[in-house]
Amino acid sequence: MRRRAFIALLGGAAAWPLVARAQQAASTVRRIGLLLPGNARTTAVRGQLEAFRQGLKEYGWVEGQNIIVEYRFAEGREDALPAIAAELARLRLDIIVAESTVGIQAAKTVTQTVPIVMATSADPVGTGLVVSLNRPGGNITGLSLQTAELSGKRLQLLTELVPGLTRVAVLSNPLSPSIAPIVEQTKAAAQSLGVEVHVAEVQAPDKFESAFAAITSAHAGALIVLPDPVLYGQHPRVVTFTAASHLPALFPEKEVAEVGGLIAYGPSIPGSFRRAAAYVDKILRGAKPADLPVEQPTAFELVVNLQTARAIGVTIPTSILLRADEVIE
């Protein structure tokens, strides 16, 4: 056999599994539901959806060809999630993909049989979504955005950013079932660093002004915004407040720093949505959610906005700039 023909034969053989995989994916049209607490019109949510679709394509699932996605959005109203989840449960879906602890809990309440993939979650074990990270049990698996040491790292960054920091405000949503342990972790880290914590609570979009007033009254030297869909959906208001108050603020999402937030540190939310597609693919091909370990983040993005720093009169230390994954001039 000629060498060229032999190489061509090997190349064809290597492609056989890919062809078979594509044919398998195309054999039937599968239906999944996507349950999001946010607003579909926001740039952040559009980025999450694009990342998810791209992830599906990487595994051979093309929307409108071999997979149908039923989109549902709570538009920032977490109290609407149970009804929306119930609507999805009536559609006889193959999988429900849900974001945030409240969204996942809403889905869990309406079905114990349809597989549920967590696109993002904070503390899935502590909130009772799964039995353990390695062996989730039940019909839920997916991704967690939180690690035990993350709160301490965020606070440490602020103490580097603001020399002599003695008081920090924490913006949180007390209705979120995953927030309480994050607040406690932040307080524990603050105690070890000699920093006082003042928690400002916001439960709905119409409660932000009172939370801002509480932060101002506390005379905090910096602000930490905790990960939560309500807070994320209203980040332009938080950015505007911190800019007007010349208050150094740290956000958990890099997308906020890219549109005016001073600094962000945390795992990539679009990256988590992209990885969620891998879980969708495995389950559609026969894997059981109970047997798929929950992933925790191993990479974190540090983004600094120098434009905002100059505007509020903050000098970013070289130690932070050298570690930054992205610096916005």
Side-chain angles (χ1 to χ4, degrees):
M1 181 181 293
R2 291 183 179 179
R3 180 174 181 271
R4 182 176 298 177
F6 179 68
I7 292 174
L9 177 61
L10 285 179
W16 291 339
L18 297 178
V19 172
R21 186 181 181 90
Q23 289 174 342
Q24 179 185 0
S27 61
T28 58
V29 176
R30 312 302 292 270
R31 299 181 70 199
I32 65 174
L34 195 59
L35 177 61
L36 302 182
N39 187 320
R41 296 180 296 276
T42 63
T43 301
V45 172
R46 289 201 301 268
Q48 295 165 8
L49 296 179
E50 179 56 33
F52 181 65
R53 294 188 188 106
Q54 183 60 40
L56 288 176
K57 287 181 181 179
E58 291 173 359
Y59 290 96
W61 301 100
V62 180
E63 193 173 357
Q65 294 184 16
N66 56 3
I67 195 165
I68 294 173
V69 182
E70 296 282 353
Y71 297 94
R72 296 296 186 275
F73 304 92
E75 307 292 338
R77 294 180 56 246
E78 292 186 350
D79 59 341
L81 286 167
I84 298 173
E87 179 186 349
L88 284 174
R90 292 192 291 268
L91 296 181
R92 297 186 178 181
L93 302 169
D94 294 292
I95 298 172
I96 295 176
V97 179
E99 180 194 12
S100 82
T101 299
V102 288
I104 301 159
Q105 285 182 331
K108 181 181 180 181
T109 299
V110 298
T111 180
Q112 285 75 53
T113 56
V114 177
I116 298 170
V117 172
M118 304 182 294
T120 68
S121 64
D123 183 11
V125 176
T127 53
L129 295 174
V130 299
V131 175
S132 71
L133 296 179
N134 290 332
R135 301 284 293 180
N139 63 323
I140 301 177
T141 188
L143 297 108
S144 170
L145 294 180
Q146 185 70 14
T147 61
E149 66 274 10
L150 189 51
S151 297
K153 289 183 177 179
R154 286 175 172 147
L155 190 58
Q156 179 65 47
L157 272 170
L158 278 182
T159 60
E160 289 184 54
L161 182 66
V162 184
L165 180 66
T166 58
R167 180 177 296 179
V168 63
V170 174
L171 187 62
S172 75
N173 174 13
L175 296 182
S176 174
S178 60
I179 285 296
I182 299 177
V183 170
E184 292 307 311
Q185 290 166 9
T186 303
K187 288 181 177 179
Q191 185 174 14
S192 67
L193 293 169
V195 176
E196 179 184 345
V197 170
H198 178 85
V199 179
E201 297 182 340
V202 55
Q203 303 175 4
D206 61 351
K207 303 297 183 182
F208 274 82
E209 295 307 320
S210 59
F212 294 156
I215 293 170
T216 301
S217 298
H219 301 291
L223 171 68
I224 294 178
V225 181
L226 296 187
D228 178 78
V230 170
L231 305 182
Y232 188 36
Q234 298 292 320
H235 70 257
R237 296 172 65 182
V238 182
V239 169
T240 299
F241 163 71
T242 56
S245 305
H246 288 240
L247 181 66
L250 186 149
F251 298 85
E253 310 93 358
K254 81 166 191 174
E255 291 80 11
V256 182
E258 291 174 341
V259 294
L262 176 62
I263 189 170
Y265 182 70
S268 169
I269 293 179
S272 184
F273 271 80
R274 191 165 182 162
R275 281 295 303 155
Y279 281 87
V280 170
D281 176 69
K282 291 176 182 178
I283 293 171
L284 289 180
R285 298 183 190 281
K288 303 297 183 184
D291 301 328
L292 297 176
V294 175
E295 287 187 11
Q296 286 188 293
T298 57
F300 302 91
E301 299 172 314
L302 175 60
V303 181
V304 177
N305 192 317
L306 287 182
Q307 292 180 349
T308 300
R310 288 191 289 268
I312 68 174
V314 171
T315 300
I316 305 295
T318 303
S319 60
I320 291 179
L321 290 176
L322 291 175
R323 303 201 307 270
D325 299 283
E326 180 181 352
V327 177
I328 301 169
E329 297 288 346

